[in-house]
């Protein structure tokens, strides 16, 4: 058998994963096994495993070995009112563990000058102030989402939205009390690899992209009252959107 | 100056990109410049550049050098009827080049046994037949989306949906003629790194995730009549979803 390069070895292991021969959660050959099995040196074996990690196919557990990645996402449904499906029982190809509860942690509230892109979307002047609410969403003690909501300071100053605890019903209930109820929503999504801080905060393993969601909330008069920037761990989320072809 | 490892070098270049000192489209130091500037050997310089490529921050152009990645997405709006915004002029933080037209290419139609997950979602028996329509979406001669639509064969057999050309109005117009007009839609999204074939077909550069969208179309009677599996080049797409808090 001719000696193989790390790419060929990685492709062989990948095909075992794709075919289900190595199912999610199962252990993949370690450096030593690859060295013995393919007759290659350690650097080659290591590069093969690195390639699989960069592809997001396997995850190394310290002192335990390397395993085929599992996808156990939290389901995020929009619009929320459709969570109780309007069109019968839904079927999903991804097993979703909805019993896991999302919790908010580390809420930090501050008043600051609107960042340029926030001023742009909230239609504010460059030097206008915003109230920023930064928090983490945690499931099973594991941070899976970073979120920062921005509100025009002139609108929410003095309300509970400027406090750590927004009170019963949260920020949207407070906005409604202020006569600024959000009724239309717009979400812009993109996907990319994480930056260093995102990877650290969300404990992202190699080969894990993030989903960036910019959510703008509008009143009935089409006034933007909130911009929420979310960074989601793509390994922890499945997003669902439901809509109809015709206004009902 | 102490010699630095490839991670530190990559982090330094990354910070120049994050800060805008190296703006999108600008050239980043090559192997030789990194070797000279940081006093490191070629393997270290190469690993530093690899780390930036895996992070999706830079793109190598053969014979030209390595450049800071640009994000020039196509905007995909759901539901389409909201393309003409119901709530005034929208503002986006991502520059979207909407003038670029999407074209469909390489349409392949076949009748086959429903794959298990397709049978599951379309509520078919395991051995039921489906009509599958596989095609590529191309912009500026560059493939940015793979899509495969499945229809119950008993439903669409003999219609233009089983032909390469579905005719004016496309598959949904034909479904309407068959008394099966899709009116409710459900999209499930996840994000992951591409498999080998996806990376090849979409010409994905290192560090480019894909967005996987499973779209199910339902009739007014909540009968699923189409499942569309889409694989999007995340470097070419920005997704937009609009919805209201209350049924209107």
């Amino acid at each position: 058998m001719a000696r193989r390069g790390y790419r060929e070895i990685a492709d062989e292991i990948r095909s075992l994963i794709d075919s289900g021969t190595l199912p999610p959660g199962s252990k993949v050959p370690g450096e030593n096994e690859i060295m013995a099995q393919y007759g290659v040196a350690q650097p080659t074996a290591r590069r093969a495993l690195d390639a699989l990690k960069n592809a997001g196919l396997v995850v190394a557990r310290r002192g335990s070995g390397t395993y085929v990645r599992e996808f156990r996402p939290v389901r995020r449904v929009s619009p929320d009112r459709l969570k109780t499906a309007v069109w019968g029982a839904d079927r999903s190809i991804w097993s979703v563990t909805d019993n896991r509860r999302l919790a908010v942690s580390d809420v930090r509230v501050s008043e600051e000058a609107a960042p340029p892109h926030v001023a742009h979307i909230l239609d504010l002047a460059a030097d206008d102030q915003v109230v920023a609410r930064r928090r983490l969403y945690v499931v099973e003690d594991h941070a899976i989402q970073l979120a920062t909501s921005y509100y025009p300071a002139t609108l929410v100053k003095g309300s509970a939205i400027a406090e750590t605890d927004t009170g019963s019903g949260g920020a949207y209930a407070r906005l409604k009390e202020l006569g600024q109820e959000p009724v239309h929503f717009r979400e812009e999504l993109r996907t990319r690899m994480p930056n260093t801080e995102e990877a650290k905060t969300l404990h992202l393993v190699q080969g894990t992209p993030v989903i960036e969601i910019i959510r703008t909330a509008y009143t009935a008069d089409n006034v933007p009252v909130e911009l929420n920037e979310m960074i989601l761990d793509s390994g922890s989320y499945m997003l669902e959107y439901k809509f109809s072809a015709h206004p009902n």
Side-chain angles (χ1 to χ4, degrees), chain A residues 75 77 82-93 240 242:
Chain A
R75 181 190 298 256
V77 180
L82 293 182
K83 258 192 184 119
T84 56
V86 294
W87 46 101
D90 292 324
R91 296 151 177 267
S92 174
I93 65 169
E240 180 173 339
K242 294 173 174 179

Side-chain angles (χ1 to χ4, degrees), chain A residues 1-24:
Chain A
M1 174 185 80
R3 286 206 173 185
R4 269 163 289 187
Y6 79 94
R7 286 185 204 280
E8 296 166 89
I9 296 170
D11 285 346
E12 278 196 36
I13 296 173
R14 180 196 271 278
S15 65
L16 294 175
I17 294 171
D18 291 346
S19 67
T21 310
L22 286 173

Side-chain angles (χ1 to χ4, degrees), chain A residues 112-130:
Chain A
E112 55 196 64
H117 68 283
V118 174
H120 174 63
I121 291 182
L122 291 184
D123 202 7
L124 302 172
D127 53 357
D128 284 347
Q129 293 284 302
V130 288

